[in-house]
């Protein structure tokens, strides 16, 4: 695969990942819960790897061309983001109180991270719009392999940036409980706003 195309994709991918959105809000909220940063980000990464596999196999395009499937995904994703955001507003930045609770929080954060990615139709549409632009049908690599490589690079960028965001939130705010609660509520409010925006966008179509 052409190295120039890979470098160009890497630059575009990093720019997109560095734009705050639902993933950022979720990573910050996880960071403020101390032990949940790695599991939460791992969930996001697993979700993006799943989308990479779908797009490489051609399944993602089938979903995108189905108005009913895409609408169902949008409604489910919006409801899920609103639910997560509301939970953060009601119970902001609550650290685990025991090892068992921490383990349970980690498993829950992993599942929530997968849900944040897989129930976000914009993530799938981004993959469908972005990855094929940097793949070359004339390249000796099969298209599926090229898309798989590009998707893996984007997933790596997501993992590094979101882990850094969550860890920074934890390090900066763990000794400032009032500020941590305020930022946690802000992250929750951001998820609610993004969820409502998804619903509004679907209703206007």
């Amino acid at each position: 695969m052409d190295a120039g195309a890979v470098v160009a994709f890497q630059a575009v991918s990093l720019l997109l990942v560095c734009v705050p959105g639902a993933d950022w809000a979720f990573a910050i909220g996880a960071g403020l819960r101390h032990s949940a940063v790695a599991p939460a980000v791992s969930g996001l990464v697993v979700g993006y790897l799943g989308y990479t596999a779908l797009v490489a196999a051609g399944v993602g395009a089938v979903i995108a061309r189905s108005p009913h499937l895409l609408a169902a995904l949008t409604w489910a994703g919006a409801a899920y983001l609103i639910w997560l955001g509301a939970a953060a507003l009601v119970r902001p930045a609550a650290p685990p109180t025991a090892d068992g609770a921490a383990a349970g929080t980690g498993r829950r954060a992993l599942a929530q991270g997968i849900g944040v990615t897989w129930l976000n139709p914009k993530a799938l549409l981004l993959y469908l719009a972005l990855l094929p632009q940097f793949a070359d049908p004339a390249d000796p690599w099969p298209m599926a392999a090229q898309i798989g490589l590009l998707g893996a690079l984007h997933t790596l960028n997501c993992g590094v940036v979101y882990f850094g965001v969550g860890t920074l939130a934890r390090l900066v705010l763990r000794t400032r409980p009032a500020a941590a609660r305020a930022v946690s509520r802000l992250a929750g409010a951001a998820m609610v706003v993004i969820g409502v925006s998804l619903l509004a966008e679907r209703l206007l179509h």
Side-chain angles (χ1 to χ4, degrees):
M1 188 172 179
D2 182 65
V6 173
V7 171
F9 173 81
Q10 183 77 341
V12 173
S13 171
L14 279 172
L15 283 174
L16 291 172
V17 174
C18 289
V19 175
D23 292 343
W24 270 63
F26 178 68
I28 290 171
L32 296 178
R33 284 166 172 77
H34 303 281
S35 68
V37 180
V41 174
S42 296
L44 295 173
V45 165
V46 169
Y48 279 112
L49 286 176
Y51 269 153
T52 298
L54 284 180
V55 174
V59 178
V62 175
I63 297 174
R65 287 196 299 266
S66 172
H68 297 299
L69 281 176
L70 202 55
L73 187 63
T74 301
W75 284 96
Y80 189 62
L81 285 174
I82 291 170
W83 176 72
L84 285 178
L89 288 170
V90 174
R91 298 184 301 276
T97 56
D99 291 341
T105 298
R107 288 191 295 270
R108 186 165 59 250
L110 175 68
Q112 288 175 343
I114 295 172
V116 166
T117 302
W118 270 75
L119 294 175
N120 182 2
K122 288 188 178 296
L124 175 60
L125 295 175
L126 170 66
Y127 264 48
L128 289 171
L130 183 64
L131 300 188
Q133 292 185 40
F134 292 90
D136 183 3
D139 193 274
W141 283 38
M143 285 291 288
Q146 294 181 60
I147 288 174
L149 173 62
L150 297 174
L153 285 174
H154 183 72
T155 300
L156 177 63
N157 292 337
C158 290
V160 171
V161 171
Y162 298 148
F163 185 79
V165 167
T167 301
L168 184 63
R170 182 183 64 186
L171 293 176
V172 171
L173 297 172
R174 66 180 175 180
T175 58
R176 301 171 177 84
R181 284 192 294 272
V183 172
S184 181
R185 287 194 174 100
L186 184 61
M191 282 190 277
V192 171
V193 169
I194 292 169
V196 171
S197 298
L198 283 173
L199 289 179
E201 186 177 320
R202 172 52 55 183
L203 290 172
L204 290 174
H205 274 71

